[in-house]
Amino acid sequence: MSVNSRASSAESDARAGSSQPPFRKMAWLARDIAVERRADGVIVLKSRFPLDPYEPHIPASVTKWAAARPDHIWLVQRRGPERQWRKVSYGEAKRTIDALTQALLDMDLPAGRPVAILSGNSIEHALMTQAAMQARIPAAPVSPAYSLMSQDHAKLKYLFGLVKPAVVMVQDGVMFEKALAALDLDGITVVHVDRAPANIKSIAYADLAATPVTSAVETSIAKITPDTVGKLLFTSGSTGMPKAVINTQKMMCANAKMMMQVRPRPDDAPDGVYLDWMPWNHTMGGNALFNVALTEGGTLYIDDGRPMPGMIDETLRNLREISPTYYANVPAGYAALAAAMEKDDALCRSFFKNLGLLAYGGARLPDDLYDRFQALAVRTTGERFVFYTGWGSTETAPTSTGTYWDTERVGLIGLPFPGVELKMVPAGEQYELRLRGVNVTPGYYGQPELTQKAFDEEGFYCIGDAGVFVNPDDPAQGLIFSGRVVEDFKLTTGTFVLVGSLRTDAIAAASPVIQDALVAGQDRPFIGLLAWPSLDACRRLIGDMDASLETVVNHPKVRAHLRDGLLAHNKAVNGVSSMTIARAMLMAEPPSIDGNELTDKGYINQRAGLERRAALVKQLYADQPGPDVIVLG
């Protein structure tokens, strides 16, 4: 049976009345959702709007804007000892990309072997990626953490063995020297941008960028098809070693159009300006933001800051000079930005000046942080701003759903984009979510057995996430993310625990002192929580901005705030054992990348974290818990 679920793009799903200031106006696509309800309980959702036409391939947008507005600035990044902005126009970028393309074609590389990029975001990274695509060679950006933070380079060596790159580019050969030395570089051309690595043969990027261009470049571009592999993007490796996800040109181009179609920018809107730090080896930064900025002909400022102590100042400096039209960050980044703007009216004015939309991802945005940001927005502009979010994975290029309406609720994953079908398979009190559409990968590079396991009998990609309706009687209100299906467990009482929703509820209840957490309790009589503190928030709470992590973890005010927040959570759930947290501990040791606890996306691997911290789990469940354990009852 099929029904329709409609909601006006102008309506808010949680209006608090006329006393609330209005949201800054957005031209949202209407929520017109077809709902198919099957006899076995399966539900399939899809937008009734067809997907608009999209570019044939990603480099086509470079060509388009280089011809239409050659002097318009595309990429900007601070460079040199004075940290001044280096700006690259679309016209200049196209000339360099064509030269790099010619250089790659001249190398006569083996078919299918990618260009691996080990470094972080940079102008050269962007241009080399486009050149590889024009040469019909996959670009394979690799997390710099695998080179610079790892001690054994195990993941880096594994990935090189999997995809067998023909070219490797590093921004700074000296910085990546140890990682390069750990690899078998036989038959691989190494390209360096800034400094050459010692004792490793390499070619200067500048020499490749000076290659005379021939007609071979246009011939190669003309041969790009929608199914040409544009990128190999690596999964986080949360359940083992990373997988290489094939990203075709049509996947990326269609997904960029989906995101633009649900939140179209009016003709009289200012030119798109983005400031972003999210790594391009991750699908959110490298596809969701980069490809949209390029497709619409916008300007992308590469932010070398990070939402962490010692690095957030770079972001704040940039935001004092740059007024973005669209801004995305993780909750930790918004927390640091809110703290700075609460003390700096000039920063507030610069940030909100041209802003149309805020976006978040990576974790649920805490309610108190949402309220603080809206208070700053109203104080500065008289309006509130929608916090938009989407949902998907590396395998879906990445976003398949979005919150494309004036919603005041955080924690949603929204509704399907045009061109996407969302299948909901009953799984207890929630639904397992599956996806089908033009933005979904054809599979994993070099691992056909994993490809086969990833899809169901109807061709839906089994993403492994779970969700529930905000209101089952009105699907147009959207879906709530309720965790990873594989993370859920049972207590010894037989009670089933939904880890994802409990984890986000616990973090919100103890806000702002918890940054992330592990939920324990499998084959135990009650639920326990191992929590990582949010350092800046805890420092503000105790009035000491220089306090060490050890001091924060053991400080009575922090422990009391955590206890009181979790007790309030327990009271709100009325003693339901599947949601009641009986004990908690704060952890001083941050999550480990080599220990597989922390993915390169910044997500927590629940299973690996609990295994690695088995000693803390043991303390948490001791018959006579020690002083580090907060007993909640």
Side-chain angles (χ1 to χ4, degrees):
M1 181 179 72
S2 296
V3 298
N4 295 333
S5 183
R6 298 189 179 204
S8 166
S9 61
E11 80 176 87
S12 167
D13 64 353
R15 297 247 182 229
S18 58
S19 61
Q20 285 278 19
F23 283 113
R24 179 152 292 187
K25 186 175 177 56
M26 291 291 299
W28 299 114
L29 181 73
R31 287 174 282 163
D32 191 353
I33 303 297
V35 184
E36 177 189 353
R37 298 184 185 272
R38 299 179 180 174
D40 58 359
V42 169
I43 300 172
V44 178
L45 305 180
K46 62 180 179 181
S47 173
R48 292 174 61 82
F49 290 97
L51 177 62
D52 288 345
Y54 47 88
E55 297 290 349
H57 47 76
I58 294 296
S61 290
V62 180
T63 301
K64 171 184 175 180
W65 297 118
R69 6 175 20 185
D71 297 328
H72 189 72
I73 300 301
W74 174 25
L75 298 167
V76 191
Q77 187 175 25
R78 292 193 187 275
R79 287 292 177 82
E82 302 299 320
R83 302 291 294 157
Q84 296 300 307
W85 293 113
R86 179 195 167 195
K87 301 181 178 182
V88 177
S89 69
Y90 278 96
E92 179 188 350
K94 174 61 175 170
R95 291 189 291 273
T96 302
I97 291 168
D98 285 351
L100 293 171
T101 304
Q102 183 69 58
L104 292 173
L105 293 172
D106 290 347
M107 292 181 191
D108 195 23
L109 301 172
R113 292 182 60 184
V115 174
I117 302 175
L118 302 192
S119 302
N121 302 358
S122 70
I123 291 171
E124 293 82 6
H125 182 154
L127 302 187
M128 181 62 85
T129 296
Q130 298 301 310
M133 290 186 189
Q134 289 195 161
R136 290 167 290 120
I137 301 168
V142 180
S143 170
Y146 296 167
S147 296
L148 303 180
M149 294 179 66
S150 175
Q151 298 303 308
D152 58 14
H153 300 110
K155 287 186 177 180
L156 182 65
K157 288 185 277 191
Y158 173 81
L159 293 179
F160 267 58
L162 177 64
V163 305
K164 299 177 176 56
V167 177
V168 176
M169 192 190 95
V170 293
Q171 191 73 24
D172 188 320
V174 174
M175 284 182 62
F176 285 83
E177 195 171 273
K178 183 179 177 182
L180 291 171
L183 299 168
D184 179 2
L185 296 174
D186 185 40
I188 297 177
T189 300
V190 177
V191 178
H192 70 271
V193 177
D194 295 329
R195 296 181 293 177
N199 304 315
I200 296 174
K201 182 181 179 181
S202 65
I203 300 173
Y205 169 93
D207 291 342
L208 298 183
T211 305
V213 178
T214 73
S215 60
V217 172
E218 283 302 314
T219 300
S220 180
I221 294 172
K223 292 180 179 179
I224 301 174
T225 72
D227 292 320
T228 299
V229 181
K231 287 183 184 178
L232 297 176
L233 287 177
F234 301 106
T235 63
S236 61
S238 58
T239 56
M241 282 296 180
K243 299 183 285 291
V245 180
I246 296 169
N247 275 229
T248 64
Q249 292 292 343
K250 70 180 178 184
M251 278 176 65
M252 295 185 287
C253 292
N255 198 230
K257 176 56 66 174
M258 291 173 187
M259 289 181 275
M260 295 168 66
Q261 187 174 343
V262 299
R263 47 181 173 88
R265 300 179 70 243
D267 293 338
D268 60 351
D271 287 333
V273 173
Y274 300 77
L275 173 77
D276 188 62
W277 64 268
M278 289 187 289
W280 294 343
N281 61 277
H282 177 209
T283 186
M284 284 304 297
N287 280 356
L289 194 133
F290 184 94
N291 288 346
V292 170
L294 169 58
T295 303
E296 75 169 17
T299 298
L300 174 58
Y301 286 80
I302 301 169
D303 182 10
D304 292 327
R306 290 292 185 275
M308 58 183 64
M311 300 187 72
I312 190 64
D313 289 345
E314 177 80 356
T315 296
L316 299 178
R317 177 190 178 187
N318 293 339
L319 285 172
R320 289 186 177 95
E321 299 180 25
I322 308 304
S323 297
T325 57
Y326 174 95
Y327 188 74
N329 213 325
V330 296
Y334 278 119
L337 181 55
M341 291 200 300
E342 284 164 348
K343 299 179 290 186
D344 190 334
D345 289 343
L347 176 61
C348 266
R349 289 192 296 271
S350 177
F351 180 76
F352 288 113
K353 180 181 177 182
N354 296 322
L355 192 66
L357 188 64
L358 293 164
Y360 70 94
R364 184 185 189 277
L365 191 74
D367 292 328
D368 76 303
L369 182 55
Y370 175 89
D371 292 338
R372 287 169 63 196
F373 237 89
Q374 297 297 9
L376 288 165
V378 171
R379 187 181 78 190
T380 307
T381 69
E383 296 176 303
R384 293 179 299 157
F385 288 78
V386 172
F387 269 93
Y388 172 90
T389 194
W391 168 78
S393 68
T394 310
E395 289 85 348
T396 63
T399 46
S400 294
T401 71
T403 54
Y404 44 93
W405 62 92
D406 290 352
T407 178
E408 297 178 23
R409 182 167 185 160
V410 294
L412 300 178
I413 60 173
L415 291 166
F417 290 152
V420 173
E421 293 177 275
L422 174 60
K423 183 178 180 180
M424 305 173 65
V425 180
E429 298 178 359
Q430 57 189 359
Y431 292 89
E432 179 199 343
L433 306 179
R434 303 177 185 181
L435 293 163
R436 186 168 66 182
V438 68
N439 63 315
V440 176
T441 182
Y444 300 109
Y445 183 88
Q447 295 178 303
E449 71 286 355
L450 295 181
T451 299
Q452 185 175 2
K453 291 178 181 178
F455 295 87
D456 71 10
E457 67 284 354
E458 293 185 291
F460 283 86
Y461 168 61
C462 302
I463 195 170
D465 288 344
V468 295
F469 284 114
V470 172
N471 181 350
D473 296 326
D474 184 8
Q477 291 190 30
L479 297 168
I480 302 170
F481 176 73
S482 59
R484 297 283 295 169
V485 175
V486 295
E487 291 179 346
D488 297 339
F489 59 79
K490 285 184 179 181
L491 300 171
T492 54
T493 59
T495 300
F496 200 68
V497 178
L498 303 180
V499 169
S501 55
L502 177 60
R503 174 177 158 272
T504 55
D505 287 348
I507 294 170
S511 180
V513 301
I514 293 181
Q515 179 171 312
D516 224 316
L518 300 169
V519 178
Q522 182 165 345
D523 300 324
R524 303 278 188 172
F526 55 81
I527 296 169
L529 197 74
L530 294 175
W532 283 285
S534 178
L535 188 57
D536 278 356
C538 291
R539 283 171 168 172
R540 288 197 302 272
L541 179 66
I542 66 178
D544 181 0
M545 296 308 294
D546 296 317
S548 68
L549 197 53
E550 287 284 351
T551 299
V552 162
V553 165
N554 294 293
H555 199 282
K557 286 187 178 180
V558 174
R559 290 169 60 86
H561 190 100
L562 173 59
R563 182 183 63 249
D564 293 346
L566 295 181
L567 284 172
H569 161 80
N570 288 348
K571 184 178 180 180
V573 300
N574 295 317
V576 176
S577 60
S578 64
M579 295 184 284
T580 299
I581 298 167
R583 295 182 184 180
M585 287 180 66
L586 284 164
M587 299 182 289
E589 182 197 2
S592 164
I593 288 181
D594 283 344
N596 226 21
E597 290 182 303
L598 184 69
T599 72
D600 62 303
K601 305 173 189 176
Y603 300 162
I604 294 299
N605 181 342
Q606 167 87 5
R607 182 177 299 175
L610 291 174
E611 289 176 355
R612 186 172 182 273
R613 295 171 191 265
L616 294 182
V617 175
K618 187 176 180 179
Q619 292 181 45
L620 197 62
Y621 287 93
D623 291 338
Q624 298 295 325
D628 291 342
V629 178
I630 300 171
V631 179
L632 303 165

